[in-house]
Amino acid sequence: MLVGSVSVDEALVTLPGHRLRVLTAGAAHAQPAELLGSAAMHRLVDLLRRQFDRILIDTSGAETADAGALSQWVDGTLLVVRAGRTPRPAIERSLAVIAPQHLMGLVLNDSRGADGIAGA
């Protein structure tokens, strides 16, 4: 869509039974950070902000170029880490690149409570 091969309406997927529409990443691009920081991305975000109440952007780790390029379009960042899998240095690197005023919180997923039952 950002390279002009499909329209926004063609790219948005409606999930039946939910008030949710999803825009998937599409095909890989040779220079994703440049594409995500482009004027086309700016126009897309402006269009989506006018059309939807909330926009959630799922990216790779916060320290990656993709996440850095997208950071200019977000109102807040929620950092998700996997218990026992995400190394502390990766969390620290991510926290170092997220603007403090944009950090909404941290979610620990795939954890186990004292009873051994997995949590979200």
Side-chain angles (χ1 to χ4, degrees):
M1 185 188 61
L2 291 177
V3 296
S5 59
V6 296
S7 72
V8 174
D9 288 333
E10 291 171 316
L12 284 168
V13 176
T14 300
L15 298 179
H18 301 281
R19 294 178 43 203
L20 183 67
R21 296 187 76 191
V22 176
L23 180 62
T24 62
H29 190 271
Q31 297 177 316
E34 288 79 5
L35 189 60
L36 295 173
S38 69
M41 182 66 180
H42 182 81
R43 288 189 300 273
L44 171 63
V45 171
D46 283 345
L47 174 71
L48 294 174
R49 284 188 187 271
R50 289 191 304 272
Q51 191 171 352
F52 298 101
D53 295 331
R54 306 269 189 287
I55 302 169
L56 302 175
I57 302 174
D58 182 15
T59 71
S60 51
E63 75 275 7
T64 65
D66 290 3
L70 288 168
S71 67
Q72 63 186 311
W73 313 119
V74 302
D75 297 323
T77 299
L78 184 62
L79 183 61
V80 179
V81 298
R82 178 178 273 174
R85 296 288 305 263
T86 307
R88 183 177 295 238
I91 297 168
E92 291 169 350
R93 284 191 307 272
S94 295
L95 290 172
V97 299
I98 298 170
Q101 67 272 20
H102 285 158
L103 183 62
M104 298 174 65
L106 187 136
V107 173
L108 179 65
N109 70 9
D110 205 16
S111 65
R112 299 206 176 263
D115 58 4
I117 298 174

